[in-house]
Amino acid sequence: MSFTLPIGAQAPDFSLPATDGKTYSLQDFADARLLVVFFTCNHCPFVVGSNEVTRETALKYADQGVQFVGINSNSVNTKPDDSFEKMVQVIEEEKFPWVYLHDESQSIAKVYGGLRTPHFFVFDEERKLQYTGRGVDNPRETSKITVNDLDRAISEVLAGSEVSVPLTNPIGCNVKWEGQDEHWMPAEACDLV
């Protein structure tokens, strides 16, 4: 069995605190036509490099009922910059158009199979997985982007089409697992494709 959710899988539920002081579960996003769940953090250069492209994509589809939810699952012991307090600061400063959740136990990263930051999961109206992987092909240097896989996947799902490339390898820093070296990944968490 692969580490990451397979295409067609149902979105796992969660109950996580957000930077706005509320706790959110999957049901809180029931009105969204599509749900984009992505594993992210505060410090990773691939996240920081591509946050503005992710913002543009989120804003582009917001009026079509697409909701973005960011989840930070990184161990604070490994990366102190990924603390909840720093998450609140980042959202206040950057005003990102997504709910930003904290997965301190890392249990949600495990059930979704978050490999890297950023790692995107696009769920349709029935909350079945239609796309997982990278947002773009060069998240660290967005001036060199040639493909926006996330944008394409969202547009295809909204159009009722089959996603032409449903699976890509996420590009970024690996999730920082508690009690492990910062470059460690679970043995079963090999590349998606």
Side-chain angles (χ1 to χ4, degrees):
M1 183 170 157
S2 73
F3 181 76
T4 300
L5 279 179
I7 298 300
Q10 202 70 35
D13 199 6
F14 50 78
S15 179
L16 296 172
T19 54
D20 63 7
K22 299 176 190 167
T23 297
Y24 289 86
S25 70
L26 204 56
Q27 187 57 37
D28 290 305
F29 306 103
D31 291 344
R33 188 168 161 202
L34 300 188
L35 187 64
V36 179
V37 174
F38 65 109
F39 290 87
T40 185
C41 64
N42 303 325
H43 84 279
C44 170
F46 296 90
V47 169
V48 174
S50 60
N51 269 336
E52 289 309 313
V53 177
T54 305
R55 183 200 302 270
E56 286 167 21
T57 307
L59 293 174
K60 176 179 177 180
Y61 293 106
D63 64 354
Q64 295 180 62
V66 179
Q67 170 79 51
F68 276 60
V69 177
I71 300 177
N72 178 4
S73 300
N74 278 356
S75 163
V76 179
N77 293 321
T78 307
K79 285 291 177 191
D81 277 353
D82 284 326
S83 69
F84 185 74
E85 294 71 29
K86 184 77 172 169
M87 289 170 62
V88 171
Q89 186 184 329
V90 165
I91 284 290
E92 284 176 356
E93 288 173 3
E94 301 292 342
K95 308 278 191 275
F96 290 128
W98 50 76
V99 176
Y100 195 12
L101 305 176
H102 191 213
D103 175 28
E104 186 177 10
S105 73
Q106 304 188 311
S107 61
I108 304 307
K110 287 174 185 159
V111 295
Y112 276 76
L115 293 171
R116 300 187 179 278
T117 55
H119 185 172
F120 295 87
F121 295 78
V122 178
F123 296 95
D124 64 15
E125 264 177 292
E126 296 173 357
R127 297 302 177 257
K128 291 195 183 328
L129 185 63
Q130 298 300 317
Y131 171 80
T132 186
R134 67 191 188 186
V136 296
D137 63 345
N138 201 329
R140 196 166 182 166
E141 295 179 80
T142 53
S143 62
K144 297 178 180 175
I145 289 173
T146 62
V147 178
N148 187 327
D149 295 277
L150 178 63
D151 184 281
R152 182 186 59 228
I154 292 170
S155 67
E156 288 172 346
V157 176
L158 287 172
S161 314
E162 198 168 308
V163 176
S164 54
V165 183
L167 209 57
T168 60
N169 286 323
I171 301 170
C173 304
N174 60 298
V175 171
K176 306 306 178 200
W177 298 100
E178 182 65 36
Q180 299 291 344
D181 174 81
E182 68 175 277
H183 300 294
W184 181 87
M185 289 179 84
E188 66 275 23
C190 54
D191 286 346
L192 294 176
V193 292

